[in-house]
Amino acid sequence: MKFGKIILISTILSIILVSCKSEQRPEIQVGADECYNCKMIITQIDQSCGFFRNDKFMAYCSPSCLIADYDYFRKGSIVPSSHIYFTDYGSKKLFQSDSIHFLFTKSVPTVMNSGVLTFRSEKDARSLIKQPDEFITRWEKFRIIAGQPDRVVDI
């Protein structure tokens, strides 16, 4: 009977410890981390981003470098992470992709000439629009606009 109680208590403690596992926090070290795609040292935190793969945070210098790898992994039947982070251009803090607004711009210099800045606030993104062809979109549309097609069909 005592052995059964020990097993039960051990099982409950194990479940509690596993469920209390802290969420991974993304972090990018300016001047130390290199872009996983282009290998450039990340010098501008306000345009950096990244995602987790196999419990490791993969940092990128720009949204264009991230989307290139995201598509590469997806096409290779490697499930891309659902924990994707972009830096808010104003606050320089990382936020998950579903809370980010992507500004396509030619008015502000961007890393790798990507022409994309990321913002947590749509209002902040709108404040930088200077040309009629500049626009704001969300993560799903950004993937369509900036990503690569799954296949090309010649007609």
Side-chain angles (χ1 to χ4, degrees):
M1 188 69 160
K2 240 182 186 183
F3 182 71
K5 285 183 180 182
I6 291 172
I7 297 272
L8 180 63
I9 291 171
S10 296
T11 303
I12 292 171
L13 285 175
S14 296
I15 291 170
I16 290 171
L17 288 174
V18 168
S19 65
C20 290
K21 180 182 175 186
S22 62
E23 183 180 324
Q24 293 173 310
R25 298 269 181 214
E27 186 179 345
I28 298 173
Q29 298 293 321
V30 175
D33 286 345
E34 76 175 22
C35 176
Y36 191 81
N37 180 274
C38 72
K39 308 304 181 210
M40 182 176 86
I41 297 296
I42 297 172
T43 59
Q44 291 185 261
I45 193 70
D46 59 2
Q47 296 178 47
S48 62
C49 48
F51 59 84
F52 283 99
R53 183 163 179 257
N54 299 331
D55 292 330
K56 180 181 185 257
F57 188 70
M58 299 166 58
Y60 293 88
C61 65
S62 70
S64 62
C65 280
L66 180 140
I67 199 70
D69 271 5
Y70 184 90
D71 282 347
Y72 173 79
F73 291 136
R74 190 176 50 80
K75 287 178 187 175
S77 298
I78 299 168
V79 179
S81 174
S82 60
H83 299 288
I84 303 164
Y85 296 85
F86 292 89
T87 302
D88 173 57
Y89 187 72
S91 71
K92 298 174 179 53
K93 293 180 182 174
L94 287 162
F95 295 97
Q96 285 204 339
S97 59
D98 60 353
S99 66
I100 291 293
H101 301 271
F102 297 82
L103 170 62
F104 283 81
T105 182
K106 295 176 188 166
S107 303
V108 179
T110 56
V111 175
M112 302 298 285
N113 292 319
S114 68
V116 179
L117 298 174
T118 54
F119 296 85
R120 181 105 194 265
S121 159
E122 184 176 1
K123 181 181 173 189
D124 292 345
R126 288 206 181 284
S127 72
L128 285 182
I129 292 178
K130 306 288 185 232
Q131 305 295 323
D133 61 343
E134 296 177 335
F135 62 95
I136 298 168
T137 190
R138 299 301 297 257
W139 170 239
E140 293 298 323
K141 296 271 194 213
F142 173 73
R143 287 178 42 206
I144 294 167
I145 295 166
Q148 297 295 315
D150 289 334
R151 61 188 156 132
V152 176
V153 178
D154 291 324
I155 299 179

